[in-house]
Amino acid sequence: MKKLINKPEDVVREELEGIALAHPDLVKVSYDPYYIVRADAPVKGKVGLVSGGGSGHEPLHGGYVGMGMLDAACPGEVFTSPTPDQMLEATKAVNGGAGVLHIVKNYTGDVMNFEMAAEMAQMEGIEVTSVVTNDDVAVQDSLYTAGRRGVGITVFVEKIAGAAAEEGRSLAEVTAVAKKVNDWGRSMGMALTSCVVPQAGKPTFDLGEDEMEIGIGIHGEPGRKRMKIAPADEIVEMLAEPIIHDLPYKEGDQVIAMVNGMGGTPLIELYIAYRKLHHILAGHGITVVRNLVGNYITSLEMAGMSITLMKADDELIKLWDAPVKTAALRWGV
Amino acid sequence: MKKLINKPEDVVREELEGIALAHPDLVKVSYDPYYIVRADAPVKGKVGLVSGGGSGHEPLHGGYVGMGMLDAACPGEVFTSPTPDQMLEATKAVNGGAGVLHIVKNYTGDVMNFEMAAEMAQMEGIEVTSVVTNDDVAVQDSLYTAGRRGVGITVFVEKIAGAAAEEGRSLAEVTAVAKKVNDWGRSMGMALTSCVVPQAGKPTFDLGEDEMEIGIGIHGEPGRKRMKIAPADEIVEMLAEPIIHDLPYKEGDQVIAMVNGMGGTPLIELYIAYRKLHHILAGHGITVVRNLVGNYITSLEMAGMSITLMKADDELIKLWDAPVKTAALRWGV
């Protein structure tokens, strides 16, 4: 195992220390229990947004804490759900009196623990709603999931619901727009290589020297099929077509598109993929109005990519364009 | 070789197509010869900034074209110098009448070709100055370099000189501040793994399963020493101490610090490294006033990192903070 770490059991704590030292203008870090919170939390009168999940998907979620996006993120150990205790404390820390939205990727542990945290917070008088993201079209159920997995659309939910909260919308309104983003979003990913969880010390799965896995999950969960590696253009087709036909996205649609690297993929390759995605969408009469190309929801050092599309109307584009100031996503300020 | 590419010989062209499709608001792309230029170039009355070099270091340089940073970038084939023709055409395309600065990483081919392009541009009546970056303290001469290699400080030169040009400073003034940034900057890198150049199809160098290379170049050039892999904190010390003692940075200094991933390094590891760098600098009485943690100058999918420090005074901090709007670096707008 080749990693820039000290002891495997210290990875998450030391990462949090690094984030706290690098971004004191944006965030504060709690170490007991672990969570990352906006430097100015709680923002009085604003709906608070809390997300979280296993570590190893950086910059998700901690990199998205700040003005116009998340109020707090709860990191679990690598690929391990955070605890209800973390989520409860984060919820209390961001409660500005207007209620708190939990943004939860659909994995059994995350969903269960966020439900428990929401109940506890409500017992303490904080109004909590939840949106569970489930945008991965690759498989119906998965290794850690009943129903579809929550992946790339989570970044979009955090950005767009974050902008809605910043505008002063109510908890019901922010929750509704978060649900709309998830409903209008679809994703699929693939891997060229596995990743290595520090505490495990060996690859999560094995892929032959000339193989790839289509429909992989962000923890290395099995996908749709394992096959010989193909040219990038064919791979993009294998991801894009199922996504397009699932919603379905249709002629005349506008979309916000993300070509996301899994952590070990050079940016040069992601632009090659974006080029093909753009052409495929144009062939379907679909226009990309905004895009992200880079590492936004990763799987440690996995080589591979995922594609996320979200149908966009004027409301969602306006919220997308609203100012955001976080470690990993920043514009307009 | 596992890569998200089509034909190796099409990698750079297809990347450029992807960049053009993803960022039409920021850049235009010329395909004959290859260069990426600000969408609004030439900016009348502004000093133009041109950089370039082999591809494979993305987001350098194309990701830094836009308001407040580069006016144009000339990509060569992967790890191969661009031609004087590319540089000449880019220089002409960004000439707004106030002269053009060439920002050149110190590699023999880049330096030679930029010199030739500058002469040709001057024959066509364009005033051209050059700054050659040479911040890598690892080795004196290297595989493709006489003198020190130019690495991470190039990002800082592009940002800070770009801000100075945007302010309307003269060619002499912009050139002077670019030189100051390079003079005040030092870097060193290391690798856990090699990278694979698409046209070569095999690793550039071999590293044992338990080995790392300290002082590596961004094309995989040999460094200071090959040794058994060590904990992250020791690795950061091996990079930071030679950098600190080289300028030397000293007690009371303020610095802008970059912890840069080589392309295949998870962000979680870069934050662990930043944490240790911060503590080492604090131990020397040096304060980090701004920082970058992420992939800014890469070597394809190489796993590893580099550290860059730049001594910062009020002028440089002000220029650093000035608005920038590029694909890879954006704030204030």
Side-chain angles (χ1 to χ4, degrees), chain A residues 306-329:
Chain A
S306 64
I307 291 173
T308 297
L309 297 182
M310 184 200 69
K311 194 167 80 154
D313 60 10
D314 289 348
E315 179 195 30
L316 297 187
I317 295 171
K318 184 162 171 283
L319 292 167
W320 181 265
D321 288 343
V324 59
K325 187 175 180 181
T326 68
L329 211 64

Side-chain angles (χ1 to χ4, degrees), chain A residues 259-294:
Chain A
V259 172
N260 171 63
M262 300 301 251
T265 310
L267 190 54
I268 194 171
E269 300 180 14
L270 299 181
Y271 277 112
I272 291 172
Y274 181 80
R275 163 196 139 275
K276 180 63 179 176
L277 175 63
H278 181 100
H279 292 317
I280 291 171
L281 291 170
H284 286 276
I286 299 166
T287 307
V288 182
V289 292
R290 300 290 185 275
N291 65 78
L292 293 177
V293 181

Side-chain angles (χ1 to χ4, degrees), chain A residues 2 5 22-23 192 271 291, chain B residues 2 5 22-23 192 232 271 291:
Chain A
K2 285 186 158 186
I5 64 172
H23 309 298
L192 293 173
Y271 277 112
N291 65 78
Chain B
K2 285 186 158 186
I5 63 171
H23 309 298
L192 293 172
Y271 277 112
N291 65 78

